[in-house]
């Protein structure tokens, strides 16, 4: 099954992911140069107003790519596309399910298309901080996403935390994963809980991202569609 999505990107900071595997590309990877930021009229947004950011596992910015139309950087720049801070054209592909952070000077859209992955899918995450997102082109309940280790066993004890941030980068809410009765004797259901030990009631829209803090590396398991 193939699909298409015009994904809204809010002003300032947000996190997201391409919700499709690229057709005819090894492992469905998305070349960054095929990712197009557009305005409400579908016109490409240049002038570096859209920036994709990468961080270390400690949250430090390492690399960023901004989008420019032809010759907005220099007369020698004849191709529109993503460029780094040294005005070098970006050479990067996102693995299937790999999330990223965006800074946008104004609200924009990303255009995604490709093949819908219907199978149960484990998306890897590293130790400490990383970006993650709902990889499906549909709404997914947070409780249907399970953090698992390399053996496919659920990771509890609050070792994995989903962090929701404002557009200014301030943490608003976080949910940690616990197995049954790891919080209290009255907690009979494994799942995501907030800081008040309340069972999380949260749905992620298609492609909606978040930050992830993990005490160890693992995977986010998404159920089959």
């Amino acid at each position: 099954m193939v699909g298409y999505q015009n994904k809204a990107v809010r002003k300032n900071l947000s996190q997201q992911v391409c919700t499709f595997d690229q057709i005819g590309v090894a492992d469905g990877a998305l070349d960054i140069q095929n990712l197009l930021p557009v305005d409400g009229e579908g016109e490409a947004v240049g002038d570096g107003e859209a920036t994709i950011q990468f961080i270390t596992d400690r949250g430090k910015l390492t690399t960023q790519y901004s989008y420019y139309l032809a010759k907005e950087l220099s007369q020698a720049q004849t191709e529109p596309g993503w460029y780094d801070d040294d005005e070098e054209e970006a050479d990067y592909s996102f693995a299937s399910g790999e999330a990223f952070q965006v800074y946008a000077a104004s609200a924009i859209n990303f255009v995604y298309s490709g093949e819908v992955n219907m199978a149960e899918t484990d998306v890897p995450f590293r130790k400490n901080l990383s970006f993650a997102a709902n990889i499906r082109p549909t709404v997914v309940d947070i409780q249907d996403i399970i953090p698992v280790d390399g053996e496919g066993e659920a990771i509890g004890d609050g070792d994995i935390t989903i962090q929701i941030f404002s557009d200014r980068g301030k943490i608003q809410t976080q949910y940690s994963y616990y197995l049954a009765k790891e919080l209290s004797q009255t907690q009979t259901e494994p799942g995501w809980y907030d800081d008040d030990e309340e069972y999380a009631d949260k749905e992620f829209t298609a492609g909606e991202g978040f930050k992830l803090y993990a005490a160890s590396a693992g995977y986010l398991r998404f159920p089959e569609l």
Side-chain angles (χ1 to χ4, degrees), residues 9 14 28 57 76 93 97 114 132 169 179 184-185:
V9 180
S14 62
D57 64 347
S93 290
L179 304 181
S184 67
Q185 289 301 305

Side-chain angles (χ1 to χ4, degrees), residues 58-88:
R58 304 293 179 173
K60 182 179 179 181
L61 181 68
T62 57
T63 308
Q64 58 183 12
Y65 302 112
S66 299
Y67 197 87
Y68 293 92
L69 303 182
K71 298 187 178 180
E72 286 182 342
L73 282 174
S74 67
Q75 288 300 307
Q77 176 226 344
T78 57
E79 293 296 323
W82 297 94
Y83 290 80
D84 65 18
D85 292 341
D86 295 323
E87 300 189 5
E88 294 291 330

Side-chain angles (χ1 to χ4, degrees), residues 158-177:
D159 283 351
I160 312 300
T161 299
I162 286 173
Q163 300 176 334
I164 311 296
F165 283 78
S166 73
D167 64 346
R168 303 291 182 172
K170 181 179 180 180
I171 190 165
Q172 296 178 312
T173 311
Q174 58 183 12
Y175 305 105
S176 299
Y177 198 88

